Amino acid sequence: MSNIKHVLGISGGKDSAALAIYLKDKHPSMEFDYYFTDTGKELDETYQLIENLESYLGVKVNRLEDEKIESTNEDPFDFHFKSFRGYLPSPQARWCTSLMKLKPFENFVGDSPTASYVGIRGDEQREGYISKKDTIQSIFPFRKNIWSQDVLYKIFHPENQAQLLDYYSQYFKGNKLDKINRIFSSPISFNRNYRLEKERIVKEKLDGLLKFGITEYNKIVFQYLKTTSYPLSFEEDYPLLENEDNLVRDDIFRILRESGVGVPEYYNKVGYEVDGQKGEYARSRSGCYFCFFQQKIEWVWLYEQHPEKFKEAMTYENEKEMFTWIPNESLKELMQPERIKEIKLNHLKRLNREKSKDSKFLLDILDDTESGACTACFI
């Protein structure tokens, strides 16, 4: 019986769905609370994926709702859009994420010590959302390092060096312990003016420790966490300590297919032709169909594959006030035949440049669109 909550957010995307399947299969004794924060602006495939997941998991996914919004009979996005007086969300003002994803999530878990599981893969160079509430701890089961960046900063802080070395001495002696000592002893500054340098050194230290054993590393970090106020400090043991997997994109699609849950239709490539050249496009993400993180080829995909959704997205734009989903370009301009042709030709150039990578999925050649997106939405 766990002493804390274990929660897993289902975004409607491939990674969070695969994570739910993976954890159920690998750690069936663990009990998870699954949740979905609906914006009201999702494609039908998102809801179908959640239904398929519920059948596989044998439990319902909690739909997080705001009673105040529910009483208005409006979609969550429309409710908040009105309160912002037509000001669209953007990479610089992500009110959609803060109000429709993070706030409902933190209300859902309340003040209970909680471990939140995030589907960031081992082949991604990004960090997940870290809650500002110290009662919520993020865990990343798809990576060799399952711990969040804030935990790494603590274990590699010079003031904790002696404590961590003492833990390591329980597993290693002699030459190996000397090498581990050198890893901890190498200089590192936590001056906020040298953030990128700090991140680089932390990564080097982490890579060095993982070479001495992932399981040992996890057990040592868990031992350290027991001396802190992190949620996992309340646990006597933790099943993921012996997790040594490092799952990449191909693994995610394999899990979805082999489980029978299936890959959302919008990830499947659709062929197009322009000037006698043939290419393929798809959607790279879950979440709102008008997400501002979409690339222009994805907007073209939406226009051609879901024209009714594209038209709905247009209704939110205010060209007079320059409130558009794409900086300096309205959807009305983007949908013009010559502009669509230009976007497709540019996309084909990228396709041709990347053919040598022999990618099975369009995501591999969309300039890694996931990496810059809101982690809370696209996991």
Side-chain angles (χ1 to χ4, degrees):
M1 183 71 179
S2 177
N3 297 314
I4 66 173
K5 281 186 178 180
H6 297 271
V7 302
L8 200 164
I10 306 299
S11 70
K14 65 188 189 313
D15 295 328
S16 61
L19 180 59
I21 297 166
Y22 170 82
L23 288 173
K24 176 178 174 57
D25 292 349
K26 187 155 188 177
H27 303 287
S29 64
M30 294 185 69
E31 294 183 4
F32 294 93
D33 289 326
Y34 305 96
Y35 67 91
F36 169 59
T37 50
D38 192 356
T39 65
K41 303 300 177 183
E42 318 280 338
L43 293 174
D44 291 342
E45 292 93 324
T46 294
Y47 303 110
Q48 184 61 57
L49 177 70
I50 292 173
E51 286 184 21
N52 295 349
L53 256 183
E54 288 177 327
S55 296
Y56 186 85
L57 299 172
V59 297
K60 294 293 290 184
V61 174
N62 294 288
R63 271 67 168 180
L64 305 190
E65 299 176 344
D66 186 325
E67 291 182 3
K68 182 174 62 175
I69 297 176
E70 194 177 4
S71 65
T72 67
N73 292 319
E74 289 186 303
D75 289 333
F77 181 87
D78 291 332
F79 177 87
H80 292 297
F81 179 69
K82 285 182 180 179
S83 70
F84 277 85
R85 301 182 182 277
Y87 187 82
L88 292 173
S90 67
Q92 293 74 37
R94 304 181 190 184
W95 60 255
C96 51
T97 299
S98 61
L99 294 177
M100 294 191 295
K101 298 290 182 177
L102 304 185
K103 185 177 179 181
F105 162 65
E106 295 191 343
N107 288 339
F108 171 61
V109 300
D111 294 324
S112 301
T114 300
S116 174
Y117 294 80
V118 183
I120 291 183
R121 307 184 309 269
D123 60 347
E124 294 185 278
Q125 299 299 317
R126 62 180 177 129
E127 284 301 315
Y129 162 71
I130 307 298
S131 175
K132 293 180 180 178
K133 296 181 68 171
D134 57 12
T135 53
I136 301 174
Q137 180 176 2
S138 297
I139 304 292
F140 306 89
F142 283 158
R143 309 186 313 193
K144 288 182 181 179
N145 171 53
I146 65 174
W147 312 107
S148 55
Q149 192 82 349
D150 57 316
V151 171
L152 295 184
Y153 289 163
K154 286 182 171 60
I155 67 171
F156 289 124
H157 198 288
E159 68 183 17
N160 297 321
Q161 178 179 330
Q163 183 179 355
L164 270 298
L165 278 174
D166 182 54
Y167 296 154
Y168 260 98
S169 68
Q170 300 169 22
Y171 296 89
F172 300 98
K173 306 294 180 185
N175 187 46
K176 286 187 177 180
L177 188 60
D178 289 341
K179 290 180 179 179
I180 292 168
N181 185 22
R182 285 197 289 272
I183 292 172
F184 279 105
S185 300
S186 62
I188 183 170
S189 172
F190 282 82
N191 187 316
R192 67 179 58 188
N193 295 322
Y194 300 97
R195 181 180 61 84
L196 293 178
E197 178 69 4
K198 175 183 64 178
E199 291 177 359
R200 181 187 67 78
I201 295 173
V202 165
K203 184 179 184 306
E204 288 178 357
K205 287 175 177 282
L206 171 64
D207 291 343
L209 289 185
L210 290 176
K211 290 177 182 177
F212 287 93
I214 298 171
T215 298
E216 291 82 359
Y217 162 76
N218 284 336
K219 289 180 177 179
I220 287 163
V221 174
F222 182 67
Q223 192 172 354
Y224 166 74
L225 291 175
K226 298 286 285 180
T227 69
T228 72
S229 60
Y230 276 94
L232 282 181
S233 67
F234 295 98
E235 295 287 75
E236 293 301 318
D237 196 10
Y238 188 50
L240 269 67
L241 297 183
E242 297 186 4
N243 237 41
E244 296 196 5
D245 291 341
N246 188 59
L247 275 67
V248 298
R249 185 173 290 141
D250 285 0
D251 296 316
I252 303 307
F253 284 92
R254 174 183 53 76
I255 288 171
L256 291 172
R257 291 192 173 104
E258 290 180 356
S259 67
V261 169
V263 177
E265 186 67 24
Y266 50 71
Y267 286 125
N268 294 333
K269 295 182 289 187
V270 178
Y272 67 80
E273 185 172 341
V274 58
D275 280 358
Q277 302 180 63
K278 293 183 178 180
E280 295 176 314
Y281 59 12
R283 182 171 166 83
S284 72
R285 63 191 67 252
S286 59
C288 301
Y289 56 81
F290 45 53
C291 179
F292 47 81
F293 275 117
Q294 291 181 107
Q295 291 197 0
K296 291 179 181 179
I297 190 63
E298 295 180 84
W299 280 108
V300 172
W301 174 89
L302 185 69
Y303 174 71
E304 296 182 341
Q305 303 303 316
H306 293 276
E308 76 289 351
K309 298 298 185 185
F310 188 92
K311 289 178 182 177
E312 286 181 33
M314 290 178 66
T315 65
Y316 292 97
E317 292 193 319
N318 184 337
E319 294 181 72
K320 194 172 183 180
E321 299 291 335
M322 296 298 291
F323 292 164
T324 55
W325 293 112
I326 306 168
N328 305 315
E329 183 172 23
S330 69
L331 295 184
K332 182 178 179 181
E333 294 169 321
L334 182 141
M335 67 185 286
Q336 299 306 310
E338 285 303 310
R339 180 61 178 135
I340 288 178
K341 178 181 176 180
E342 181 184 16
I343 291 170
K344 287 182 175 177
L345 287 172
N346 287 335
H347 181 240
L348 280 168
K349 287 180 182 177
R350 279 185 291 159
L351 285 170
N352 293 330
R353 281 199 305 265
E354 299 292 339
K355 271 185 178 178
S356 61
K357 293 184 179 179
D358 193 28
S359 170
K360 295 180 182 178
F361 304 106
L362 182 66
L363 275 175
D364 293 334
I365 49 176
L366 280 179
D367 289 346
D368 197 13
T369 58
E370 299 165 302
S371 63
C374 287
T375 308
C377 287
F378 311 124
I379 57 178

